[in-house]
Amino acid sequence: MEVTLDLVAIFFFVALLAGFIDAIGGGGGLIILPALLLAGLSPAQALATNKFQAIFGKISSVGYFAKQGFLDISSLKVPLLFSFLSAGFGAFLVQRIPSSILGQFLPFMILAAMVYILLSPRLADFDTQSRISMGVYSFTFGALISFYDGFFGPASGSFFVISFVALLGFSTAKAVAHAKLLLLVTNLAAVLMFMTGGEILWTLGGAMAAGQWIGAKYGSKLVHHKGSKVVKPALIAVCSIMLGKLVYANLF
């Protein structure tokens, strides 16, 4: 397809909005992917270009949270490795088998996440007691969510945040910070796989990357200063939209 200057400008602002929302509670892909498909990209081009531009939003968020002291990257070597390998494997498989297979289970996963958010008192602005170790998390829930992100993707950031809070006892801001770091790694692994197929639209992706960077920076600042006051409603909104979209698709 032809990438015009008007299209580049439009998607810069679309990515800016998506980056801001994604930095708060995840779900930026729910804005980007439909917009790319409406613009005429093939599903493979839309997925690949989305993963590429999303990397820059994650870099922006991770840089901000690292400066604020929310990340101890040296302690995350094991989860980062498992996340990279799992996401790469997911991106490898999605190019060979229908993603609808995983999509059949997704509504139940999202509904369970929504119930947890609504009923659990653990989504707070301070650390609580962890239920499993970081090592166990790395090759269980961390690996599964990373595989899902590489294979399918929507709401994976929300799943990371919820699992960090529920299982590792992280505060809201700390959970978002660590989610962005792991998502940076999973997106990178997926992009490396998609590059082999030549599906990324580099000019459009570059403009979107700039928008993502700016939006994620200000979204991260909001999470830092407001914590669960903005993250919890954002998570509920993302899960509700995703669940509604899946139910509508299955019915109609």
Side-chain angles (χ1 to χ4, degrees), residues 22-246:
D22 193 72
I24 298 172
L30 300 179
I31 298 173
I32 294 290
L33 283 174
L36 289 172
L37 291 170
L38 285 173
L41 276 70
S42 70
Q45 289 176 329
L47 185 59
T49 304
N50 174 59
K51 288 293 184 185
F52 168 72
Q53 61 91 36
I55 286 178
F56 294 86
K58 303 303 183 295
I59 293 174
S60 180
S61 289
V62 168
Y64 178 83
F65 284 121
K67 289 180 180 178
Q68 303 303 320
F70 286 103
L71 288 170
D72 179 12
I73 298 178
S74 63
S75 67
L76 298 173
K77 293 178 181 178
V78 174
L80 289 173
L81 174 61
F82 274 94
S83 292
F84 182 85
L85 295 176
S86 299
F89 183 54
F92 172 80
L93 283 183
V94 77
Q95 299 177 74
R96 287 158 180 80
I97 61 177
S99 58
S100 58
I101 294 175
L102 184 58
Q104 294 174 4
F105 300 96
L106 190 56
F108 301 100
M109 297 164 58
I110 293 176
L111 184 60
M114 286 181 62
V115 171
Y116 174 81
I117 296 168
L118 290 169
L119 301 181
S120 175
R122 289 173 62 91
L123 199 65
D125 296 325
F126 50 85
D127 288 351
T128 58
Q129 182 64 40
S130 63
R131 295 180 178 178
I132 61 176
S133 68
M134 180 65 81
V136 172
Y137 177 86
S138 300
F139 60 82
T140 54
F141 291 94
L144 285 172
I145 298 172
S146 298
F147 171 82
Y148 165 75
D149 187 56
F151 185 87
F152 200 68
S156 54
S158 302
F159 290 142
F160 267 130
V161 172
I162 295 165
S163 65
F164 278 133
V165 172
L167 300 174
L168 297 175
F170 285 5
S171 68
T172 303
K174 186 177 179 181
V176 172
H178 283 73
K180 297 310 172 190
L181 180 58
L182 292 188
L183 286 169
L184 171 59
V185 171
T186 59
N187 284 351
L188 178 60
V191 165
L192 291 175
M193 284 294 176
F194 285 125
M195 282 177 63
T196 61
E199 300 288 355
I200 299 174
L201 300 186
W202 296 104
T203 302
L204 189 61
M208 294 169 70
Q212 273 277 347
W213 183 283
I214 297 170
K217 176 182 178 181
Y218 288 100
S220 300
K221 285 186 177 181
L222 188 61
V223 170
H224 177 202
H225 295 294
K226 298 296 183 180
S228 60
K229 292 180 181 178
V230 295
V231 174
K232 186 171 183 177
L235 289 173
I236 294 173
V238 168
C239 291
S240 298
I241 293 170
M242 189 63 194
L243 186 61
K245 181 177 181 294
L246 289 170

